Amino acid sequence: MNIAVSIVTINYNGLEDTCALIESIPFNENMEVIVVDNASNNHEAETIAQRYPRVNVIKSDKNLGFAGGNNLGIQAAQGKYLFLINNDTIFKDFNVRALIERMESSQKIGIACPKIRFAWGTNPIQFAGYTSLSIITVRNQAIGFNAEDHGQYDTAHPTPYAHGAAMLIRHDAINKVGLMPECYFLYYEELDWSMIFTRAGYQIWYEPKCTIYHKESQATGQNSPLRTYYITRNRFLLVKRNPKEFIQPLAYLYLFCIVVLRDILKYIFSFRFDLLKATLRALKDFILYAQSNAACTRSALPLIRASASLKNVKQKL
């Protein structure tokens, strides 16, 4: 049997969200659904496998992060196309076929992303493509962010980067460019991967005929030390790993003298010493990594010491 699409998602202590996503997918013989459990608590992997026997559940004994978890799913996937999607998203109209048709319109297209709308309120737009990152500030914008959807972003177009919440990827393109860089662990890895795809000659497209609804970052918290650490560290890491995309000396100067110093002062005056500590640790770890010239692997940076050993949970329970 030829599998057209492998849907891959990561579960990390998010059983309710993951189940809601699975239940919004109309299974058929041309697709497979893979859930990579990133060492969740309370036997969540086993629960998912028992509830959904058609889902291939892969359990890691360590939290491998966003890239590491997706890479496990990618290596297990058999589909011609791989749809990497956050577990805190849902489909209301399952139209992945539109993404496939966009991909099949040109062999140069390596990734296609749907329109992403928030799952709350009036479902404003989260993503309708990206603008390019500034070569100095390392900042960009999500097109249409927080706008009401009146059809004004219903034209497909190329976009410089894929959105990590939902991206359909050509399997043979991954075989060419390699797996997602794992040294980020969380945040910015899809931007780096997008640059790798672009340098390999592939295009990335936004295709609004497919829409998903995103509940947004519930696993890490919007102002958590975890998020602060990885956002801070990985901005610098992105610049280091992509010297042709940025003016490195100016980008480093801006990030340190403007962004980091601003954040340090903000955390001091708001008495958020947990976030201050996370910021300083992020700087220290990046500097140590930069000096080592290590490869972009899980073991290259602190807090990324994840074992790759697996347990396949789905055994015809």
Side-chain angles (χ1 to χ4, degrees):
M1 180 178 65
N2 293 325
I3 296 175
V5 180
S6 300
I7 298 176
V8 179
T9 193
I10 299 172
N11 180 69
Y12 178 64
N13 297 325
L15 179 63
E16 182 177 345
D17 283 335
T18 301
C19 290
L21 169 62
I22 293 170
E23 290 172 6
S24 73
I25 298 172
F27 285 76
N28 63 60
E29 61 183 11
N30 297 317
M31 75 164 63
E32 64 176 349
V33 177
I34 299 170
V35 174
V36 177
D37 186 81
N38 255 346
S40 297
N41 301 322
N42 302 319
H43 306 289
E44 290 190 359
E46 290 81 0
T47 300
I48 294 168
Q50 290 172 349
R51 288 186 185 179
Y52 308 103
R54 293 189 63 179
V55 173
N56 180 15
V57 181
I58 300 172
K59 182 179 181 181
S60 171
D61 60 3
K62 299 288 184 181
N63 183 355
L64 305 180
F66 179 79
N70 274 307
N71 284 344
L72 292 186
I74 289 169
Q75 292 174 86
Q78 303 177 58
K80 180 180 179 181
Y81 299 104
L82 278 59
F83 195 24
L84 309 187
I85 185 168
N86 279 16
N87 74 316
D88 62 342
T89 60
I90 56 171
F91 293 96
K92 293 186 179 181
D93 177 19
F94 189 83
N95 191 19
V96 174
R97 184 65 202 171
L99 296 177
I100 295 175
E101 290 173 355
R102 174 57 56 189
M103 299 281 276
E104 293 182 343
S105 70
S106 172
Q107 288 296 312
K108 293 182 179 180
I109 301 176
I111 304 177
C113 294
K115 179 191 291 183
I116 303 176
R117 296 174 64 178
F118 288 112
W120 38 261
T122 57
N123 306 126
I125 293 170
Q126 181 181 14
F127 170 84
Y130 276 129
T131 62
S132 295
L133 285 163
S134 165
I135 60 177
I136 296 175
T137 67
V138 201
R139 295 178 66 87
N140 71 332
Q141 292 182 337
I143 298 170
F145 183 81
N146 218 29
E148 295 297 322
D149 189 0
H150 301 298
Q152 69 271 43
Y153 298 108
D154 281 356
T155 300
H157 59 81
T159 178
Y161 318 109
H163 196 294
M167 46 187 172
L168 185 78
I169 308 168
R170 195 182 297 276
H171 203 158
D172 59 11
I174 297 176
N175 294 336
K176 179 179 178 180
V177 307
L179 296 170
M180 198 179 298
E182 297 187 10
C183 55
Y184 290 91
F185 192 77
L186 192 65
Y187 304 120
Y188 285 95
E189 54 271 275
E190 74 273 18
L191 297 180
D192 192 307
W193 209 27
S194 295
M195 294 177 188
I196 296 172
F197 269 81
T198 300
R199 288 195 291 268
Y202 289 104
Q203 298 175 355
I204 302 169
W205 275 70
Y206 160 72
E207 177 49 74
K209 291 181 181 178
C210 179
T211 300
I212 66 157
Y213 294 82
H214 190 198
K215 302 170 189 175
E216 186 60 303
S217 178
Q218 298 184 11
T220 61
Q222 290 296 319
N223 291 301
S224 67
L226 180 71
R227 184 178 187 276
T228 298
Y229 173 86
Y230 284 111
I231 288 288
T232 302
R233 191 200 69 180
N234 290 353
R235 285 195 190 107
F236 286 93
L237 186 58
L238 185 71
V239 174
K240 175 175 172 54
R241 281 180 41 82
N242 296 278
K244 294 183 179 180
E245 310 294 335
F246 305 101
I247 303 176
Q248 280 188 325
L250 294 180
Y252 285 142
L253 189 65
Y254 175 83
L255 290 175
F256 181 75
C257 295
I258 303 297
V259 178
V260 171
L261 289 183
R262 176 204 65 195
D263 290 345
I264 287 173
L265 291 174
K266 179 175 65 176
Y267 298 147
I268 290 174
F269 287 113
S270 62
F271 301 101
R272 289 302 305 269
F273 299 112
D274 56 337
L275 301 185
L276 174 63
K277 182 178 178 181
T279 300
L280 296 176
R281 184 176 184 183
L283 280 176
K284 175 186 174 183
D285 288 347
F286 169 73
I287 292 169
L288 292 173
Y289 170 79
Q291 292 175 339
S292 71
N293 289 316
C296 189
T297 62
R298 283 192 298 272
S299 60
L301 285 157
L303 295 190
I304 305 177
R305 302 192 180 103
S307 168
S309 62
L310 300 174
K311 298 175 184 176
N312 194 317
V313 179
K314 187 190 176 209
Q315 298 177 342
K316 303 297 183 181
L317 297 177

